[in-house]
Amino acid sequence: LYTEAELQIRSELQHYREADKKCIFYTPTFRDSEDIFLKIMNMEQFNRFLMENNYMLFSKLHIKSKLKQEFADIKYSNIRYIDANVDPATILEFADMLIVDYSSIYLDYMMLDRPVVAFPFDYEEYLSNSRECYFEYEEYMPELKVKTMSELMSGIKQVFENDIYKDKRHIRRNYHFEDIDGNSSERLYRAIKKILDNI
């Protein structure tokens, strides 16, 4: 069952997709240096870029983020804030592109096999002040990587037009997942049922 907030944002996302707008999710992970995003981004200029290209940006922060209010206060026509308490699994299907840094949501999004732009604008700060990576970053995320707003804008257009990272993404997806056929819930059900039947 979806919460009221999840139903509301699902309806909004469906509306934009039916209007042929590309829905881009920005899903940064929680860390000390996440506020750098607001320092390097000119949101008014970025909103113009989104308008000109028929894109909508939806920011979905980590539930522990300290910037929830700052992002909620961003009010532009093509930029929306998704409440941090919304379970990303309930809305990820509506994302036409994911902008991500180091978050494990990247693994979930792999199953949809859609365009991704990596935005590790604070890579050095992240490694020195926040935490270490569980995987070598280049191997974990074989996507276009950008660090400035200008690079982000051109990267979004570039990857939408020609997702040349798909093959490398498939290799990485196969590393993490044994099955990608969409039947994992059924397999889990059968495995649990088999255990219960033998009790």
Side-chain angles (χ1 to χ4, degrees):
L1 295 177
Y2 299 120
T3 66
E4 183 176 339
E6 289 164 354
L7 287 171
Q8 182 177 342
I9 192 60
R10 283 177 61 86
S11 176
E12 185 175 351
L13 286 161
Q14 183 64 35
H15 166 75
Y16 285 121
R17 293 194 83 191
E18 289 175 354
D20 293 325
K21 292 184 181 293
K22 296 285 190 182
C23 293
I24 303 170
F25 281 22
Y26 174 56
T27 57
T29 195
F30 165 70
R31 74 273 195 193
D32 294 336
S33 53
E34 62 181 323
D35 62 333
I36 294 177
F37 175 88
L38 297 173
K39 298 175 183 177
I40 66 173
M41 295 291 290
N42 179 324
M43 300 310 292
E44 182 176 354
Q45 181 181 347
F46 192 67
N47 187 66
R48 285 198 300 270
F49 160 77
L50 296 170
M51 292 174 60
E52 291 166 0
N53 291 280
N54 213 28
Y55 302 150
M56 293 294 302
L57 180 77
F58 292 84
S59 58
K60 169 66 178 75
L61 304 188
H62 190 281
I63 196 165
K64 292 184 178 180
S65 173
K66 299 175 183 177
L67 300 178
K68 297 172 192 173
Q69 192 57 53
E70 286 83 346
F71 272 83
D73 288 341
I74 296 174
K75 306 294 184 185
Y76 289 100
S77 62
N78 287 49
I79 300 175
R80 293 287 187 269
Y81 171 72
I82 298 175
D83 190 287
N85 292 303
V86 168
D87 183 350
T90 66
I91 57 173
L92 206 55
E93 65 183 281
F94 294 101
D96 296 298
M97 173 181 283
L98 189 72
I99 298 175
V100 68
D101 39 42
Y102 324 101
S103 175
S104 62
I105 197 174
Y106 174 66
L107 296 177
D108 301 320
Y109 196 67
M110 273 184 177
M111 301 303 286
L112 295 175
D113 194 23
R114 296 177 188 167
V116 175
V117 173
F119 193 27
F121 53 82
D122 61 341
Y123 183 69
E124 291 76 17
E125 291 87 347
Y126 177 77
L127 289 183
S128 62
N129 299 324
S130 294
R131 65 199 76 167
E132 59 186 11
C133 292
Y134 296 114
F135 301 101
E136 200 284 317
Y137 188 57
E138 289 294 330
E139 292 181 7
Y140 169 66
M141 195 173 293
E143 308 289 350
L144 174 68
K145 295 176 179 65
V146 299
K147 289 195 172 184
T148 67
M149 186 179 77
S150 177
E151 290 176 354
L152 177 62
M153 292 189 294
S154 61
I156 290 171
K157 292 189 66 175
Q158 174 187 329
V159 175
F160 262 140
E161 292 169 3
N162 184 20
D163 186 7
I164 63 173
Y165 304 89
K166 182 183 288 282
D167 291 342
K168 289 184 178 180
R169 186 184 312 127
H170 288 173
I171 293 171
R172 196 64 193 175
R173 183 183 63 185
N174 292 338
Y175 173 84
H176 289 285
F177 300 102
E178 183 176 341
D179 298 298
I180 56 172
D181 57 8
N183 296 319
S184 294
S185 294
E186 181 180 350
R187 278 189 290 273
L188 180 60
Y189 162 76
R190 293 188 182 281
I192 295 173
K193 186 176 186 301
K194 183 177 180 179
I195 294 171
L196 293 176
D197 289 344
N198 292 326
I199 293 178

